[in-house]
Amino acid sequence: MARGTYVLAIDVPPIEVEIGAAGEYRLEGPYAYVGSAFGPGGFSRIERHRDLAAGEREVRHWHVDYLLGHPASELAAVARFPGADRECELAESLPGEPVGGVGASDCDCPAHLLSVPDVGRLREALESEGGVVG
């Protein structure tokens, strides 16, 4: 089973969404979520995120699930970094501003959800970092 770090590009029209214990957020624009897939399922976690974004799954485990589960959100792209533990590094180096407290409850980062300038620029940054974008 392939494991590593992944980044989700998520398009969001203006919405208000409660993100678990993190609270209520007003979000708009493209976002990047940086996650890790080193558990038993590895990158199958990405398929779980895709199912949730498509409305084919209801259960929310992680902060990003609340955003992906909103009917107005769209999963625009996914990047994989096989075998690499780069979650915190990418959350700090990708273009964008952290959305305070979202997705980083198990580390010292400000957030693993970033408000990014646009999906095209995010894709370029992911490819330059060595990510496999699809």
Side-chain angles (χ1 to χ4, degrees):
M1 176 88 33
R3 292 177 167 79
T5 302
Y6 63 93
V7 179
L8 308 176
I10 307 165
D11 279 327
V12 182
I15 61 170
E16 287 190 18
V17 60
E18 187 167 337
I19 301 181
E24 186 86 17
Y25 288 80
R26 177 155 174 66
L27 303 174
E28 177 180 7
Y31 289 86
Y33 172 77
V34 185
S36 120
F38 283 98
F43 281 132
S44 67
R45 180 173 290 184
I46 294 169
E47 293 314 310
R48 188 190 165 287
H49 290 315
R50 285 186 198 280
D51 290 347
L52 188 60
E56 299 170 4
R57 184 180 289 266
E58 292 295 320
V59 178
R60 281 128 170 91
H61 291 289
W62 299 282
H63 284 160
V64 72
D65 291 345
Y66 294 91
L67 179 56
L68 290 171
H70 192 285
S73 296
E74 178 187 341
L75 184 56
V78 176
R80 298 167 198 237
F81 295 82
D85 186 2
R86 298 183 59 192
E87 187 177 11
C88 294
E89 171 200 338
L90 289 168
E92 291 188 20
S93 68
L94 290 174
E97 294 298 318
V99 178
V102 179
S105 55
D106 60 350
C107 68
D108 293 329
C109 295
H112 284 192
L113 181 69
L114 307 170
S115 174
V116 297
D118 62 71
V119 173
R121 187 165 161 210
L122 175 62
R123 280 177 165 273
E124 289 173 9
L126 292 167
E127 288 170 357
S128 73
E129 289 283 349
V132 179
V133 182

